[in-house]
């Protein structure tokens, strides 16, 4: 079921984000913050030619098997992490957004409940509502490449 997959991805978010940074460092020599993908530049930086942030076709052909496998994994995890980070925009209420952010940080139901002054069952209900909303948002499901029909 899609909700279970999304729940698993939310739980896995922390290690996936760390793995993205590690893979970027291995493949590119440094990590690229996702917030800077599309940030405009000013002054001389704006007019200077820039290379692609990804690998060129020639570089992809020259990659060895391990690098190619790491590169595919990096692309997959970048897509998932990006989708999970923008998913907060699809939620209906502010409390759900806060619960979602806490879940992404890896906080337990008990820690979230203590932080927000609610019960664990209220946190569980909020998470279920979040999963239901995300499952119904076709843009989010498409970002994750999950099938909408399973909702």
């Amino acid at each position: 079921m899609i909700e279970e997959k999304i729940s698993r991805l939310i739980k896995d978010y922390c290690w996936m984000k760390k793995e993205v940074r590690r893979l970027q460092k291995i493949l590119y020599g440094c990590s690229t913050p996702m917030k800077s993908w599309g940030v405009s530049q000013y002054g001389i930086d704006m007019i200077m030619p820039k290379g692609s942030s990804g690998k060129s076709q020639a570089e992809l052909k020259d990659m060895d098997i391990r690098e190619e496998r790491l590169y595919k994994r990096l692309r997959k995890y970048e897509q998932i992490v990006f989708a999970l980070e923008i998913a907060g925009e699809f939620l209906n209420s502010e409390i759900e957004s806060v619960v979602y952010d806490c879940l992404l940080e890896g906080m337990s139901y008990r820690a979230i409940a203590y932080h927000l002054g609610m019960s664990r069952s209220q946190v569980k209900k909020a998470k279920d509502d979040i999963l239901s909303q995300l499952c119904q948002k076709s843009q989010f499901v498409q970002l994750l490449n999950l099938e909408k029909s399973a909702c």
Side-chain angles (χ1 to χ4, degrees):
M1 185 177 224
I2 292 268
E3 287 186 13
E4 292 169 5
K5 288 181 181 180
I6 293 173
S7 180
R8 171 57 38 204
L9 291 174
I10 290 171
K11 281 186 177 186
D12 293 345
Y13 169 81
C14 285
W15 70 260
M16 278 189 200
K17 189 162 183 168
K18 288 177 187 176
E19 182 66 1
V20 164
R21 279 190 235 121
R22 185 185 78 84
L23 291 172
Q24 285 176 340
K25 200 167 195 175
I26 289 170
L27 295 170
Y28 305 130
C30 63
S31 63
T32 309
M34 289 192 191
K35 294 286 184 195
S36 69
W37 293 356
V39 173
S40 63
Q41 296 179 343
Y42 300 97
I44 192 75
D45 291 334
M46 183 174 67
I47 59 170
M48 295 301 291
K50 290 155 198 67
S52 170
S53 62
K55 298 267 188 188
S56 69
Q57 288 299 323
E59 289 174 315
L60 288 173
K61 288 179 184 175
D62 293 340
M63 289 175 123
D64 63 16
I65 295 171
R66 179 176 177 271
E67 282 181 320
E68 190 173 327
R69 184 173 41 87
L70 293 178
Y71 184 73
K72 286 178 184 176
R73 186 182 325 146
L74 172 63
R75 289 290 162 228
K76 175 184 166 188
Y77 289 166
E78 280 178 338
Q79 181 179 2
I80 292 169
V81 168
F82 180 73
L84 289 171
E85 286 182 352
I86 66 166
E89 297 174 10
F90 297 130
L91 301 176
N92 294 333
S93 75
E94 194 64 32
I95 194 74
E96 289 171 345
S97 295
V98 174
V99 170
Y100 180 74
D101 289 338
C102 290
L103 289 169
L104 286 182
E105 290 177 22
M107 293 174 68
S108 66
Y109 288 170
R110 179 177 288 174
I112 297 169
Y114 179 76
H115 173 66
L116 298 176
M118 43 189 341
S119 69
R120 283 183 288 176
S121 61
Q122 288 173 312
V123 173
K124 171 83 170 98
K125 183 183 178 332
K127 180 185 176 188
D128 291 343
D129 291 344
I130 290 167
L131 293 175
S132 175
Q133 287 177 44
L134 292 179
C135 187
Q136 293 173 8
K137 300 294 182 182
S138 62
Q139 304 98 324
F140 178 71
V141 175
Q142 288 172 352
L143 280 172
L144 289 176
N145 285 333
L146 300 174
E147 295 179 22
K148 178 79 172 128
S149 60
C151 288

